[in-house]
Amino acid sequence: MATTQSKSSESANITVLLEEKQVYKPSPAFAKSAHVKSFSALQSLRRQALKSPEKFWDKAARDLDWIKPWKKTLEWKPPFAKWFVGGKLNLSANCLDRHLDGPRRNKAALIWEGEPGEVRTLTYLQLHYEVCRFANALKHLGVRSGERVCIYMPMVPEAAIAMLACARIGAVHSVVFGGFSAESLRDRIHDAQAKIVVTADGGWRRGAVVKLKDAVDEALKDCKSVEHVVVLKRTGQEIGWTQGRDHWWNEAVAGQSAVCPPEPLDSEHPLFILYTSGSTGKPKGVLHTTGGYLVQAALTTKWVFDLREDDTFWCTADVGWVTGHTYVVYGPLANGATSLMYEGGPLHPTPDRFWSMIARHRVSVFYTAPTAIRTFMRLGPEYPKRHDLTSLRLLGTVGEPINPEAWRWYRTVIGGQRCPIVDTWWQTETGGILITPLPGATPTKPGSATLPFPGIDADVVDKQGKPVPPGSGGFLVIRKPWPGMLRTIHGDPERYKSQYFSQIPGIYFTGDGARKDKDGYFWVLGRIDDVLNVAGHRLSTMEIESALVSHPSVAESAVVARPDEMLGQAVVAFVTLQKSASPSPELKEELRGHVAKMIGPIAKPAEIRFTDSLPKTRSGKIMRRLLREVAAGQGVRGDVTTLEDFAVLAKLQQSEDE
Ligand code: PRX
């Protein structure tokens, strides 16, 4: 059955063309041993939790180790929430120390595979040892509770070790994705006023070295807050060195004691800042705190991925994104699970790398992005067919809507028709999964993230905050606070208020459009703000526009998305040049390279189109809808460098858009 969803997204004016009708029920065999065993059990949990969310989360929090119990489950002074008020805990102790007394002490906590093929396993005991020593090294370098540590690392165990070490001593980590440029890194270090940067000489990606230390050196030319840089030796190439400031990781930990008592931290102690794109040019430092975040991470990992003691869980996200924070590191480790971590490209050295890894490590739960699934689908079933994938029992997706065709391919070719699929909706801001099936309980419909997790009050509403009828498009909102929610935007509480709680006063505004069907299932349609979702990565149109405008040849630019079969969305940039510049294919390439330099290769426009003016309303607003239509209608037009003239089109559209 062919299905399409279409969105027209200037407002909540979302139209949905066809509806996916097929329903997949959990198999009785899976349901029998699942944490939540039936739809009726789930619905009853959801009903109770909706009536009294605090009671639900209070119970969930009791699964963790608290140094001091909390006095109040929730203090909600809209839009500011505090969870488990008065409680004290340590997140690294919850992820490590509490597993050391029983049979988990010698269980693999992290299994890591480097892109060149080496494998390292760290048991809970070994990971604890490394974390304690690195925590002491950080203290030795002068890091105190509450201070910020920037982590700019490849996907290596030391990235997780650094995160857990920060959590152990109460330092706040800000992980910056290794694919971001020196400029992006500089902005993030500067905004967080980080005192230390933890990095590596480089990391492996598609057979090449990503030169992380070079980028750090570049970024630090302008960052006065940074006192020390810790450098892990990974790729071994020559790097620059600033005596006194730079320290090799192995030297920094040499001689450090493996005894580092976990700091008792307030439940609301800041845990991390993670920068994400919003609808303005400046990335937002989303701030998460300790207790609530951990409760959300731990419970969602346990229920959504239905974790069992003998699972090998592989979430393919990089720790530079929130998915890597919650479902590579904190969620799995809080549950005493085995988490697989992979450094490199999914198709390297051959397109069957992932399937070979699943077979070799006997992965049982696999969590990846729709864009990856679509890529594998295009490459054909022969690659997964080369490997034994029978260890898999559950599949997950995250990051963007999954088209039903890819969903079914995933189920059939990867899951052998036996693995349930959990399509999980959430955001950097939500800390953990909010809308999702539970695999032993929820009948799934391809393309739908199904129902809110217990304790989550999600809805689809119009501009006034009124629920829209089933089948109609609207804004996806969360009515009540939840433990894993962001607490603020670092250094900018006003932006926190206006971004998330002002469109519909007092209610969390996700920035996504969605609809509910007659069964109450949620169908997320994508962003309704100026945020793009390219291959599951969040980018801001404004950020790319300002990168383009910072080039001396560019006068003005407007960036929009066009649908892309592989990436979900592709970046199309309309560019007006300075009088002194003339359009040429070389300039297009230069501009693409400029965006990569300013933000990172993920933000490179797929297409640049020169225009002598941008279509604007009489009040001067760029008519993005028109540009989106133009971008979508034409597809990639080769390298035509002629100028486009929007004047006529703009006049035609003007009355409609004003
Ligand atoms: O538009 C939604 C989309 O990704 C956005 C959040 O991006 P980010 O903060 O980078 O976090 C990504 C990983 C949690 C959302 O606003 N999104 C995420 N998951 C889904 C999704 N869209 C549809 N279905 C999903 N399962």
Side-chain angles (χ1 to χ4, degrees):
M1 180 180 41
T3 31
T4 5
Q5 293 170 353
S6 97
K7 106 187 143 121
S8 137
S9 55
E10 208 76 67
S11 64
N13 172 23
I14 294 154
T15 49
V16 182
L17 296 182
L18 281 170
E19 191 176 312
E20 180 63 32
K21 294 265 167 31
Q22 224 160 346
V23 175
Y24 295 80
K25 290 203 171 125
S27 77
F30 192 102
K32 209 166 101 192
S33 53
H35 288 296
V36 180
K37 296 183 190 343
S38 70
F39 194 47
S40 57
L42 169 63
Q43 291 296 57
S44 134
L45 271 168
R46 291 184 60 235
R47 264 193 310 275
Q48 285 167 28
L50 217 52
K51 237 192 267 163
S52 177
E54 289 166 49
K55 211 159 141 195
F56 175 80
W57 292 115
D58 186 279
K59 183 159 179 272
R62 286 169 202 277
D63 272 352
L64 301 177
D65 270 6
W66 292 80
I67 299 166
K68 191 176 157 211
W70 59 97
K71 289 201 178 86
K72 199 171 171 199
T73 307
L74 169 67
E75 187 186 292
W76 178 227
K77 293 186 179 151
F80 297 100
K82 287 184 180 168
W83 281 88
F84 313 112
V85 185
K88 283 195 191 297
L89 77 167
N90 184 282
L91 191 144
S92 102
N94 271 280
C95 289
L96 301 169
D97 306 47
R98 71 172 171 146
H99 306 311
L100 300 186
D101 289 338
R104 284 179 184 156
R105 92 189 324 237
N106 290 323
K107 175 179 175 176
L110 291 178
I111 300 176
W112 170 79
E113 188 164 309
E115 192 182 77
E118 65 272 59
V119 173
R120 248 172 92 192
T121 302
L122 286 157
T123 63
Y124 274 93
L125 196 63
Q126 290 165 337
L127 185 59
H128 176 262
Y129 175 82
E130 299 294 347
V131 167
C132 288
R133 289 205 317 154
F134 194 67
N136 280 329
L138 288 176
K139 283 204 240 176
H140 183 73
L141 291 172
V143 181
R144 301 282 166 261
S145 182
E147 291 183 329
R148 273 79 57 212
V149 172
C150 171
I151 300 174
Y152 185 63
M153 298 277 274
M155 275 292 279
V156 289
E158 283 76 6
I161 291 167
M163 291 162 75
L164 288 157
C166 287
R168 196 160 187 91
I169 63 174
V172 183
H173 61 69
S174 160
V175 184
V176 177
F177 173 56
F180 277 124
S181 66
E183 277 77 4
S184 295
L185 177 64
R186 181 197 56 207
D187 293 348
R188 287 158 171 78
I189 293 174
H190 181 75
D191 188 86
Q193 287 291 292
K195 189 168 180 180
I196 303 258
V197 177
V198 184
T199 189
D201 49 356
W204 290 104
R205 190 81 193 174
R206 281 184 245 119
V209 171
V210 181
K211 293 180 178 165
L212 297 169
K213 175 62 165 55
D214 286 3
V216 170
D217 288 341
E218 181 69 30
L220 292 193
K221 283 181 187 157
D222 295 326
C223 289
K224 300 284 167 274
S225 64
V226 175
E227 293 172 11
H228 297 283
V229 178
V230 181
V231 188
L232 177 79
K233 195 174 206 127
R234 166 75 189 122
T235 42
Q237 83 281 10
E238 286 260 315
I239 52 169
W241 200 259
T242 303
Q243 214 58 41
R245 184 198 71 181
D246 298 352
H247 312 266
W248 285 111
W249 176 294
N250 59 330
E251 288 170 12
V253 295
Q256 291 299 338
S257 155
V259 178
C260 179
E263 197 69 35
L265 297 169
D266 195 272
S267 175
E268 283 299 329
H269 185 81
L271 172 66
F272 67 83
I273 299 169
L274 185 57
Y275 288 87
T276 190
S277 297
S279 44
T280 69
K282 193 169 167 261
K284 302 179 280 195
V286 167
L287 182 91
H288 284 284
T289 58
T290 306
Y293 169 80
L294 187 60
V295 170
Q296 188 103 30
L299 186 68
T300 54
T301 310
K302 183 171 166 184
W303 281 6
V304 176
F305 301 108
D306 195 45
L307 275 191
R308 293 193 206 158
E309 202 54 53
D310 59 354
D311 271 326
T312 300
F313 177 69
W314 185 17
C315 163
T316 66
D318 192 285
V319 288
W321 309 110
V322 75
T323 311
H325 282 58
T326 309
Y327 299 109
V328 175
V329 182
Y330 292 128
L333 298 181
N335 280 285
T338 297
S339 179
L340 178 67
M341 201 175 174
Y342 170 56
E343 177 186 31
L347 311 178
H348 188 85
T350 46
D352 60 345
R353 179 64 181 257
F354 271 18
W355 320 125
S356 141
M357 285 182 61
I358 289 175
R360 281 185 288 110
H361 298 289
R362 305 303 292 155
V363 170
S364 50
V365 182
F366 180 61
Y367 187 35
T368 198
T371 184
I373 298 166
R374 287 193 297 267
T375 305
F376 296 132
M377 193 171 136
R378 189 192 50 179
L379 288 164
E382 61 268 28
Y383 294 106
K385 286 216 170 106
R386 282 183 197 164
H387 299 278
D388 175 9
L389 304 181
T390 53
S391 57
L392 289 173
R393 63 180 198 89
L394 174 59
L395 302 173
T397 76
V398 61
E400 51 177 320
I402 181 164
N403 46 314
E405 196 194 352
W407 193 102
R408 272 192 290 269
W409 185 89
Y410 197 30
R411 184 173 188 277
T412 310
V413 179
I414 307 305
Q417 312 263 22
R418 71 184 180 280
C419 302
I421 296 179
V422 287
D423 172 355
T424 63
W425 178 91
W426 60 297
Q427 307 177 297
T428 305
E429 293 87 342
T430 69
I433 293 166
L434 295 197
I435 304 180
T436 179
L438 295 191
T442 317
T444 50
K445 303 183 188 183
S448 167
T450 73
L451 297 166
F453 191 83
I456 302 300
D457 193 353
D459 206 352
V460 180
V461 301
D462 64 15
K463 271 186 180 157
Q464 283 70 46
K466 278 213 312 280
V468 298
S472 306
F475 301 116
L476 178 60
V477 296
I478 316 293
R479 290 188 186 282
K480 293 204 187 91
W482 65 100
M485 70 189 278
L486 79 164
R487 298 301 193 261
T488 188
I489 289 175
H490 177 67
D492 201 349
E494 282 311 312
R495 192 168 172 203
Y496 166 76
K497 279 191 212 166
S498 66
Q499 186 87 41
Y500 303 110
F501 290 95
S502 67
Q503 274 89 346
I504 300 156
I507 290 180
Y508 176 79
F509 190 80
T510 64
D512 277 352
R515 75 185 164 90
K516 281 203 281 184
D517 66 18
K518 58 180 183 350
D519 300 323
Y521 276 42
F522 285 70
W523 297 75
V524 177
L525 303 167
R527 303 291 306 195
I528 42 89
D529 52 12
D530 290 333
V531 172
L532 310 177
N533 192 332
V534 178
H537 297 319
R538 238 168 103 164
L539 300 168
S540 130
T541 52
M542 292 272 289
E543 216 176 328
I544 304 173
E545 284 163 9
S546 17
L548 283 164
V549 173
S550 74
H551 188 279
S553 301
V554 177
E556 198 178 23
S557 118
V559 166
V560 295
R562 72 164 149 72
D564 182 277
E565 214 180 303
M566 273 315 122
L567 306 170
Q569 291 188 325
V571 176
V572 180
F574 293 87
V575 169
T576 312
L577 293 174
Q578 299 282 11
K579 286 228 162 50
S580 53
S582 40
S584 70
E586 293 73 35
L587 183 56
K588 276 188 185 175
E589 266 326 289
E590 195 179 316
L591 293 179
R592 294 180 72 234
H594 183 71
V595 174
K597 182 172 177 298
M598 297 303 288
I599 304 175
I602 47 166
K604 250 189 193 180
E607 209 185 325
I608 288 190
R609 296 167 71 149
F610 294 123
T611 164
D612 60 354
S613 64
L614 289 165
K616 290 183 184 159
T617 60
R618 262 185 284 256
S619 55
K621 236 177 112 197
I622 293 173
M623 297 159 91
R624 288 177 182 281
R625 184 160 67 81
L626 174 63
L627 292 178
R628 269 197 291 270
E629 279 163 16
V630 172
Q634 304 278 332
V636 183
R637 307 192 324 157
D639 206 5
V640 183
T641 40
T642 47
L643 292 170
E644 315 205 35
D645 181 2
F646 287 116
V648 180
L649 265 177
K651 272 196 193 103
L652 285 175
Q653 300 266 332
Q654 212 150 39
S655 50
E656 208 182 303
D657 278 61
E658 277 181 326

